[in-house]
Amino acid sequence: MIKIALYGNFEELECWKECFRLKEYVRKDILIQLPEIERFELYSQLLRAARSTTANIAEGWGRHHRKDSIRFMIIARGSVAEVLDHTIETRHCNYISS
């Protein structure tokens, strides 16, 4: 068994730290600007995608096999892309500014 993580904890990973900052930005700066009509659709999707970024990095870190760890990092990257897509949508709908 090869452990991919060279750190003591996933919270020390730079990718996790950046995704945590992204999640906080989404929560504090974007979600509060969405109108009530989007509270059950876009709000929920954006929040879940942002949470998924750090959760998948943490899960990948906890895996005992390199291939599993890499797979979860790729999933996290997909979640970051999903956050980007949802923020493009919020901008397109004029819920947020550039």
Side-chain angles (χ1 to χ4, degrees), residues 8 12-13 15 18-19 24 27 29-30 33 37 39 56-57 65 68-69 72 79 83 88 91-94:
E12 296 174 30
L13 297 170
C15 59
E18 288 299 317
C19 285
E24 289 299 298
R27 196 177 312 171
D29 295 319
I30 296 177
Q33 296 185 55
I37 194 169
R39 290 291 175 183
N56 279 295
I57 292 169
H65 297 286
D68 273 349
S69 297
F72 278 93
S79 294
V83 170
I88 290 169
R91 173 64 181 107
H92 178 75
C93 293
N94 295 315

Side-chain angles (χ1 to χ4, degrees), residues 82-94:
E82 185 178 356
V83 170
L84 175 60
D85 180 70
H86 292 320
T87 55
I88 290 169
E89 176 72 15
T90 61
R91 173 64 181 107
H92 178 75
C93 293
N94 295 315

Side-chain angles (χ1 to χ4, degrees), residues 16-34 43 46-47 50-51 53-54 80 83-84 86-88 90-91 95-98:
W16 187 90
K17 291 176 188 177
E18 288 299 317
C19 285
F20 186 82
R21 284 192 274 280
L22 173 64
K23 180 171 58 174
E24 289 299 298
Y25 176 74
V26 165
R27 196 177 312 171
K28 293 178 179 176
D29 295 319
I30 296 177
L31 294 178
I32 63 170
Q33 296 185 55
L34 296 180
Y43 182 102
L46 188 50
L47 181 58
R51 286 177 172 166
T53 62
T54 54
V80 170
V83 170
L84 175 60
H86 292 320
T87 55
I88 290 169
T90 61
R91 173 64 181 107
Y95 298 150
I96 62 170
S97 63
S98 296

Side-chain angles (χ1 to χ4, degrees), residues 35-54:
E36 191 67 31
I37 194 169
E38 292 289 1
R39 290 291 175 183
F40 299 107
E41 294 294 329
L42 188 56
Y43 182 102
S44 178
Q45 289 177 317
L46 188 50
L47 181 58
R48 280 193 318 247
R51 286 177 172 166
S52 179
T53 62
T54 54

